[in-house]
Amino acid sequence: MKSPRPIDLGRQHGLSAQAVRNYERDGCIPPARRTASGYRVYTEDHVGALSAYVALIRGYGHRTAGEIMRSVLAGAVDDAFAILDEAHVQLQRDRATVRAVSSAAVVLTAQPAADRPHGPVTVGVLAHRLGVTPATLRKWEVAGILAPERERVTANRIYSPADVRDAELAHLLRRGGYLLDYIAEVLRQVRAAGGPEPLAASLTSWQAQITGRGRRMLDGSAALAAYLSLRENASA
């Protein structure tokens, strides 16, 4: 096989020769042998490494892809697999969050607005409404699920209609078995979207993004597996 030049090595991926040299400098592809005149000599090993790295970037991002390739090139394949595992755990968490938000958004949008108070309520009133203790509401506050305001004079917690909505959502998710950190993430998504109604409208796009990321991660893992096989065959 004729050794590819730097510009040829990156061309199939739309990369410049400088980008390839940068990847070599960062340890994401193997170091190239130099000729007497200083030119880099790339081999099939570099072709496979670059293909794997580019595919991993699409699925896992630059930072994670770099960690994976540096581990592989250092001979720490188990470390690379551990990094892959962590990324897939996060993907599963994101899927669980989407399911939780989807279920909650359906319930909340179906609930008539008249069922909620139109003004602020105290911790006792909200606790009674949900059938929980005030201590539970304070625990949710510590977890970042609720963020009530305080009265200026008494410093007592005051829950706005939006806080009541968030508390109802948290209560629903707790009954569904979700942990507090998951619920806090769901509430962040609800607030970022401006409420359950806009959030429900964006769920299809959100799910599509996760599905696309899962597919790109699969492609990246396949490219890495192909590169590992290439290295194993070369050393056999």
Side-chain angles (χ1 to χ4, degrees):
M1 176 180 175
K2 184 179 180 181
S3 299
R5 296 176 301 167
I7 190 171
D8 294 328
L9 184 62
R11 179 175 293 166
Q12 63 175 315
H13 303 292
L15 299 173
S16 66
Q18 184 58 53
V20 174
R21 289 192 288 268
N22 291 344
Y23 292 163
E24 180 187 346
R25 177 201 63 198
D26 296 338
C28 300
I29 64 173
R33 181 178 63 82
R34 298 294 189 98
T35 65
S37 55
Y39 288 102
R40 290 173 170 83
V41 177
Y42 291 114
T43 66
E44 186 178 357
D45 185 41
H46 296 91
V47 174
L50 183 60
S51 295
Y53 180 50
V54 171
L56 288 167
I57 289 173
R58 296 190 186 106
Y60 298 88
H62 281 84
R63 179 178 178 180
T64 300
E67 291 175 351
I68 292 169
M69 290 302 299
R70 282 188 287 272
S71 295
V72 167
L73 295 176
V77 177
D78 284 344
D79 291 345
F81 289 165
I83 297 169
L84 289 167
D85 291 343
E86 289 176 4
H88 283 272
V89 167
Q90 183 59 56
L91 182 67
Q92 178 57 30
R93 287 175 179 168
D94 291 345
R95 289 189 189 280
T97 300
V98 170
R99 288 195 296 269
V101 173
S102 179
S103 299
V106 169
V107 172
L108 291 180
T109 53
Q111 182 179 13
D115 288 351
R116 296 197 188 97
H118 296 289
V121 299
T122 64
V123 63
V125 170
L126 180 56
H128 178 73
R129 176 184 177 86
L130 299 177
V132 300
T133 65
T136 295
L137 295 178
R138 289 192 289 270
K139 185 177 182 181
W140 291 356
E141 183 179 342
V142 171
I145 294 170
L146 299 176
E149 295 184 356
R150 299 294 188 107
E151 287 185 332
R152 291 184 179 179
V153 177
T154 66
N156 290 333
R157 292 171 173 81
I158 292 296
Y159 297 85
S160 68
D163 292 327
V164 173
R165 178 206 66 199
D166 292 349
E168 290 174 342
L169 174 53
H171 192 217
L172 172 71
L173 294 174
R174 283 299 285 162
R175 292 202 308 269
Y178 289 95
L179 301 178
L180 294 182
D181 59 344
Y182 275 164
I183 297 174
E185 175 60 27
V186 169
L187 265 297
R188 282 191 287 270
Q189 296 292 341
V190 170
R191 294 183 189 115
E197 293 84 1
L199 182 61
S202 67
L203 282 172
T204 299
S205 174
W206 190 4
Q207 180 62 63
Q209 291 176 15
I210 290 178
T211 300
R213 178 153 55 99
R215 176 56 189 268
R216 291 190 297 273
M217 290 170 71
L218 181 64
D219 291 341
S221 297
L224 178 63
Y227 178 58
L228 291 175
S229 296
L230 177 68
R231 287 171 62 88
E232 290 169 359
N233 292 335
S235 62

